[in-house]
Amino acid sequence: MSSGETAVIIPAVNEVDRIATTVRTAAALPGVALVMVVDDGSADQTGRVARAAGARVVRHSRNRGKAAAMETGAEAVRLFDEADVTPRHLLFLDADLGETASAAAPLIEPVRAGEADMTIAVFTTRIKLGGHGLVVRLSKEGIRRATGFEPRQPLNGQRCLTRAAFEAARPLAHGFGVETALTIDLLRKGYRISEVEVDMTHRATGTDWRAQLHRAKQLRDVARALATRDPLVTQNLDKLRLTR
């Protein structure tokens, strides 16, 4: 594998204020020679700014959701990899990480060394997310029931995978259910997953109506992902609501 053995994929929607810093910081990570931004139907200049910062950019004409953006990004990277003997590893990062994307290097190392097929970030700096705990508990309990594994931050989207692991998880679960489903599906297929502590932060979700709508979509998508993998999990949803 060449020195550019890892490709960074950044799904982005309306992140014009932070995308440039995230792209430049990600591009400086060891072993990264390609940063692919998937502009998932942004209404602002996210794609233009990302391209100016040095990223390759693929745009969805309308918002298709996180999982679709991840698949689009991975397919775009595959096109670049066609001439290479070994496909690049895929590092998925959120668009709003800014300079803290520099802390992603430890996610790459276990995959590069062949010690893990997928790494999941565990943020050491926690930001209160205003009600986000319900979705986290649903995801964590669902993963535990399905696999026996108890992830510390099951919804964390900062992940590095081998190309083989990514392909084994396709088709990805819809929308915000993608992280939960990725963990379950890869563990069930015998892939090795490692959690890695990193000093990253991103924007808190907030408590306004847009944030509440975002969390409702997360809850829906995680529940759907779990329902197709362990239908009994969704029966605990009312119980989780009562214990918030």
Side-chain angles (χ1 to χ4, degrees), residues 49-68:
V49 171
R51 187 176 291 107
R56 300 278 184 170
V57 177
V58 181
R59 176 174 168 79
H60 291 164
S61 60
R62 60 178 178 82
N63 183 266
R64 295 172 53 193
K66 186 173 186 180

Side-chain angles (χ1 to χ4, degrees), residues 164-241:
F166 182 83
E167 295 299 330
R170 296 181 70 186
L172 300 183
H174 176 76
F176 296 109
V178 62
E179 290 91 2
T180 301
L182 260 177
T183 301
I184 292 173
D185 293 347
L186 290 183
L187 285 173
R188 283 179 166 176
K189 292 182 178 181
Y191 287 88
R192 299 161 301 163
I193 294 178
S194 176
E195 293 183 300
V196 180
E197 290 191 352
V198 294
D199 188 16
M200 286 179 173
T201 58
H202 55 62
R203 184 174 49 250
T205 308
T207 58
D208 62 12
W209 70 267
R210 291 183 181 86
Q212 297 298 339
L213 179 60
H214 173 77
R215 279 188 287 274
K217 291 179 178 179
Q218 281 190 310
L219 184 64
R220 176 200 64 195
D221 291 349
V222 170
R224 285 176 175 174
L226 290 174
T228 62
R229 290 160 177 83
D230 185 356
L232 291 177
V233 172
T234 56
Q235 295 179 12
N236 292 326
L237 188 55
D238 288 338
K239 184 186 300 183
L240 286 171
R241 291 181 188 279

Side-chain angles (χ1 to χ4, degrees), residues 144-164:
R144 186 193 65 78
R145 283 182 57 93
T147 68
F149 174 56
E150 297 188 30
R152 293 165 64 184
Q153 293 179 13
L155 301 179
N156 202 311
Q158 312 344 290
R159 301 181 179 219
C160 188
L161 297 80
T162 64
R163 168 62 73 167

Side-chain angles (χ1 to χ4, degrees), residues 60-104:
H60 291 164
S61 60
R62 60 178 178 82
N63 183 266
R64 295 172 53 193
K66 186 173 186 180
M70 290 171 67
E71 295 219 43
T72 294
E75 179 62 18
V77 170
R78 187 188 65 78
L79 295 176
F80 279 91
D81 285 346
E82 283 186 337
D84 293 345
V85 175
T86 305
R88 296 180 225 241
H89 306 317
L90 305 176
L91 174 63
F92 292 94
L93 296 178
D94 289 347
D96 62 354
L97 291 173
E99 293 180 352
T100 70
S102 63

